[in-house]
Amino acid sequence: MNKFRGMTLIEVMIALVVFSLTATAIMNVIYNTMHGLSGMEESYFGQMVADNVLSQLKLSKQWPSNSWISDKQELAGRTWYYRYRGQNTQDANFKSLEVEVFLTSKTSTDTPVAYLRTYVSK
């Protein structure tokens, strides 16, 4: 009787296919996790910028006009672009304030990273 030791070529090829599929799945999970963390970080800092803009407007005690006003701010080693506007509401006792934060200066075509709307009484 002749006993073979080791693995046949087919077994080796199947093992390599299983290994490569597993490695590819693991790499996809790592990529998606890193991409998700990056998006969460952008959203978090964008919300901080929106909160800062709101605080600055409240401290200045000047109500912004109904047209968009754009500016930029440095935070966490990046330049964040934002725009804000005041709006009248149906209730004469309240006004609305919108703040949008972007990663680039092309605010009219980009989707905001953060958006804030608040209502202020007169």
Side-chain angles (χ1 to χ4, degrees):
M1 267 198 194
N2 207 359
K3 292 193 176 186
F4 294 104
R5 293 185 189 184
M7 299 172 62
T8 64
L9 182 59
I10 293 289
E11 291 171 331
V12 170
M13 290 176 65
I14 290 173
L16 286 174
V17 166
V18 169
F19 175 74
S20 65
L21 290 174
T22 304
T24 303
I26 290 171
M27 292 301 290
N28 281 336
V29 167
I30 290 171
Y31 171 78
N32 288 336
T33 301
M34 296 303 287
H35 184 68
L37 289 175
S38 173
M40 285 175 39
E41 180 183 32
E42 289 172 354
S43 177
Y44 176 74
F45 284 126
Q47 195 63 44
M48 285 179 68
V49 170
D51 288 338
N52 289 345
V53 170
L54 177 61
S55 297
Q56 289 170 355
L57 290 171
K58 283 185 176 181
L59 288 173
S60 71
K61 297 183 180 183
Q62 289 183 330
W63 190 255
S65 66
N66 289 349
S67 60
W68 287 108
I69 299 168
S70 298
D71 204 353
K72 62 184 176 181
Q73 187 178 97
E74 295 290 326
L75 180 69
R78 279 180 98 159
T79 301
W80 299 87
Y81 299 90
Y82 63 88
R83 66 182 185 174
Y84 61 90
R85 71 176 173 181
Q87 286 187 314
N88 296 325
T89 62
Q90 292 178 352
D91 187 345
N93 295 320
F94 290 96
K95 289 187 173 186
S96 168
L97 177 67
E98 292 180 294
V99 181
E100 294 180 344
V101 181
F102 303 90
L103 294 173
T104 64
S105 60
K106 297 179 282 187
T107 57
S108 60
T109 58
D110 288 347
T111 302
V113 175
Y115 176 80
L116 175 71
R117 174 182 278 173
T118 187
Y119 297 91
V120 180
S121 64
K122 288 184 180 177

